[in-house]
Amino acid sequence: MVEENLKIDQKQGGFQLMLNKKITEPWTSIGTILGQPVIDSYTFYLKKYKAKKGDIVAAEAKLPTGEGKVIDVIVWGRITEIISSNDFLPNEATKELTEENINIQDTILPLTKNDSICMVTNLGYTKNQVGEKMLLLPINYPVAPGGTIKYPAKKDLASLLNSEMNSKNPILIGKLVAREDIDVFVSADNMVSRHVLVIGMTGSGKSVATRRLMRELMHKDYPILIIDPHGDYLGIVKQAKKLFPKHVIKLFYPKISAPSNNKEVIFALIEKLGKKLTDPQYDFLNWLLDNIPYESGQNLMDYINVLIDRANTAAANKRNKSSAGMNGIGNTGATTMGVVARSLRVVQSKLKKMEKDNKENMEKFPHLKFEELPDSYSQPENIISKSQVSILYLKGYESLPSSTIVSILLENLFNHRSAGNKTIPPFFTIVEEAQNFIPSRAEGQDGYPSVETIKKISTEGRKFGVGLMIVTQRPYKLDETVCSQMNSYIILRLKNERDQRFVKNTMENWDDEVARQLPNFANGQGIVSGQITNLPLTVKIKFDADLVNSDLGDEDFINDVQNWKDTEITKKKKSFYKNFDKIFKSDQRRPN
Amino acid sequence: MKQIINNNSSLFSNFIKNSIKAPSPKVQQNFMKVTSELVEVIKKILETEKLIFDVSYEGKKYWENAKKHKFAFVDGGAYSSFLSSSAPFAIRANTYIVKPDELLERRELFRETVKFVGNLYDPEKNLYDLDEDPYEDNQLLTKKKDAARITFETAAVARHVYENEKFEYLLLHGPLQTPIMPFSGPEFPLFKKEVIKYILPFFKKKEINDQDRHFINVYLNSINYIKKAKFNIFGIVEKTGSTIYLRNLLYRAKQKRLIDDVIFDKTISLIKRYKINDATLFELILSDCQALKPLEVEKQIPSKAWGDWEEQMNNFPKVFIGYLRTNKNQSPIRIESLNNPKKLHKDYEYILATSKLLPNYGFPAGLDVIDKAARIHSWLGKAAKGYYQKYYLNLALNSKDPTTIISALKSISDGGRKFKNRPKAGRLSINAK
């Protein structure tokens, strides 16, 4: 009971905001702002179960414009934490419940007084006026305590997230993790021109992300080049052909070659694949390369053969004390020349092995048609063409030769674009296992020609329509310059602390709250941020099941072992081993 | 026993606390000797009278069987600020009602059973000639606040009886009956008529006279109404300084000629001198999950009343008081009822089980819950207080009576020395040459 004269007029002190007439449907009130909000964040009391972590919520607010005016706005924020408490449930009681194994619901303890307090990080504000676009602007004034928090309707939130996207070729990447009824789009324009970095540990869903974006680009007939060191994309070829019958999907294996007139690359290749050379041996090799120039497009194996022959000839001449063709190497001994020749043979044999491995791997997919990679200098249109996806299959090749191959390829294609002669259209390159092609300075970049090439594309590619998607599970091993040129990010699950620190140091607008989520993302969940999106969003990437690579198997190794049967040869081998083992055990003779 | 007393017992803590200076070893030893012997004797009496009994506790099993019942817990809350006519300014008594096996949405109810904001006491019947001595005013103010609290808590219990609730148990935080002697003085104001009508819905008298509006009569009506309840009602008191059980126990022993008058008087005197009380003594006798059977006691002492209240005080029902040790760390809690418990073991089992849910504090958990819910937080009262102060001062100013204005000013300044020592408007006397 309250005496009549003490009843307080409830309208005093309150204020009502006019809601934007463009807002499509009523927004549910879900809470009230608690005291002491600051500009970047606030807390609010949440009605039970009306929102969850990661949800984007809205507060009606007033902001000063600086011209003496105050405008009605909507302040958007993301729920970063929810703290639940029940002030009426004594903490002591939990001790007794546990020790006596009492079900709390059987007792007189209250269960319905759970309170939830949400912490919200502000994302920005939109003007709350008719006719205004939902453009998110930075906030400069805190929301008011006691204000109402609302749960925006799906359409209005989608408008906010995807506004301005219509003019930027939006492509669907997935759904908001917190609101699975809301599709998230990214800007294809910004993606292909301003580069994207995709990071995630094994099994986090990098392939899901790349397949998703690849599919969307294919819908736009955009040319795609994929550098595939492990053959991850082979399996999709079959499905892609079925799903995109008008597209051309080409599988290429490399021709081992080197950039023309680039002695350093050849040196590095030989040094890294062969033995480290002494100074006289280095001088002799240098003499060989000077006297036998490498021509662009020439098969590197053939070239090395020529070098070996020449080295052997020089060694023979030296032994025969002949001076024919020995200009400049008069003081080089035959032994030195022989060592160089041997080293070249080692390189040759390794390269042959890589070619062989590559070929054997290709033979596992008899239903797929592999072609030799065309010369990117003279035939770029066979690699990059509208509605074409070109996959460069590098399995079996070590990092250095792969780097060389990729460097030559991308360098030539970039040069064609930058020449402006319209030989090939703009294209998008997906570089898988990017740490093998653009290692950081700490990892050692010597002899990795792809580093400079990709650096150049990352800094200048935008002007010429050459876009990059760098995909890696070890971001801290990547070249720093290239990373700094990535304008958009898709960050999936990361548990390694160094990788997490890398992300923190690289991404703009980094949020510590977001960082805490990184190790806990489910497969296919990640943060999308940068210029491909309006604001950083936690997204569940859409899974394109029809593009899954069935040929590579499901990593169902336990099942494989259970169904394992030794081949006949293996069975015989095991049997012979037993037989010989018996003999050796019976051998009583002492070794000399 | 000496070891037990010395070992952090409440008895020993009280002894230290109440010493004027740090007691010497000799004094301490004497205390130990006397109290340990007293404890032994009291224990013997209790055992002879078969007043000590064990209360069983099997937490899980108990609650699995008890969950089908409906339980209630009552506690009051008063706003800390007050005015002369309204002490306290706002008051309420809430009830936490729970039926554990009910569906979640119907399982619990937090009810504001009785509440009041405004002038509790009738200003026309109130003496506003306030004393300049803040001590006297504070004494009266304290009594008004206490009377309000007692009235409202009892009214809440009575309301449930009136509404024919079907509780298995209702526990009240506090005694079921309080000695009313302090409120028997002539200066004690009357409640307003509206208050009586509100808190005593069962009071069917057409014309409410002044007598009906006095706290003592209001309280008496409520207590006698509660006594008729069909469900079990207990008042639970923790940290009590009372000696009522001890005194009644000794009296009973005297009646049964177990002790003579001299021993009785000397022991009562000893208890007073050594500041021994029920809880501290029984802490040394009872173990965890042990209790003392209730004794029927007289709470009101008509001969001590100031005014003509003898008849009313005689009409207060007797109270049954027992003690229960709910854990090994706390002294026993006092349990009061207006009727002799018919199922003593079952009743005490319930109180024990709810107390075990607060294993450290050893007090019924439901009362802890309702204590938090009934509290009136300052933010709740501040705005209303400001409004009320303006309204009250306005009334006083409109009366144009200087005495009324001064008393209003005094009230809203919270009185006391601040008001007494205020600078007074008027001539400034200067010794000028």
Side-chain angles (χ1 to χ4, degrees), chain A residues 7 50 112 184 261 302 357 398 408 444 467 481 530 546 581:
Chain A
K7 279 181 188 161
K50 291 297 181 190
T112 59
V184 177
N261 298 326
D302 295 339
D357 286 346
E398 288 177 16
I408 297 168
T481 307
D546 51 358
D581 195 48

Side-chain angles (χ1 to χ4, degrees), chain A residues 254-260 262 264-270 272-273 294 300 351 373 376 392 394 397-412 436-437 447-451 453:
Chain A
K255 186 172 74 177
I256 302 177
S257 55
S260 64
N262 194 335
E264 280 72 28
V265 172
I266 300 172
F267 259 121
L269 211 59
I270 291 169
K272 295 234 161 127
L273 292 181
Y294 174 75
L300 193 60
L351 287 173
L373 181 70
S376 51
L392 178 58
L394 290 171
Y397 284 95
E398 288 177 16
S399 306
L400 189 53
S402 297
S403 171
T404 312
I405 293 161
V406 165
S407 171
I408 297 168
L409 171 64
L410 289 179
E411 187 86 41
N412 285 335
N436 295 332
F437 300 102
Y448 279 81
S450 51
V451 174
T453 309

Side-chain angles (χ1 to χ4, degrees), chain B residues 110-128:
Chain B
F110 285 80
R111 182 180 163 184
E112 206 169 39
T113 314
V114 286
K115 63 178 182 287
F116 193 85
V117 177
N119 283 318
L120 209 54
Y121 297 98
D122 189 347
E124 285 178 28
K125 301 287 176 177
N126 211 3
L127 289 173
Y128 277 95

Side-chain angles (χ1 to χ4, degrees), chain B residues 18-33:
Chain B
N18 290 317
S19 303
I20 296 167
K21 53 184 183 183
S24 67
K26 194 173 168 189
V27 168
Q28 282 189 44
Q29 265 184 322
N30 169 252
F31 176 84
M32 295 296 198
K33 188 171 186 297

Side-chain angles (χ1 to χ4, degrees), chain A residues 28-39:
Chain A
T28 321
S29 291
I30 61 166
T32 307
I33 298 173
L34 298 172
Q36 301 186 335
V38 294
I39 290 173

Side-chain angles (χ1 to χ4, degrees), chain A residues 5 96 107-108 111-112, chain B residues 57 96 107-108 192 360 391:
Chain A
N5 52 12
E96 183 70 8
T107 71
I108 49 93
L111 300 177
T112 59
Chain B
Y57 173 65
Y96 169 50
R107 186 183 188 270
E108 299 155 25
K192 287 168 73 172
N360 295 336
Y391 165 73

Side-chain angles (χ1 to χ4, degrees), chain B residues 329-380:
Chain B
N329 300 321
Q330 300 287 347
S331 41
I333 55 175
R334 189 168 88 227
I335 301 171
E336 294 193 6
S337 56
L338 295 174
N339 300 301
N340 196 8
K342 290 185 185 128
K343 296 179 184 174
L344 181 65
H345 284 257
K346 181 172 170 281
D347 297 339
Y348 276 44
E349 248 182 60
Y350 166 66
I351 296 169
L352 180 63
T354 55
S355 301
K356 285 293 188 187
L357 291 174
L358 281 184
N360 295 336
Y361 194 48
F363 191 68
L367 290 177
D368 182 70
V369 170
I370 196 58
D371 172 66
K372 287 172 187 154
R375 214 172 283 173
I376 297 180
H377 300 283
S378 61
W379 61 264
L380 256 177

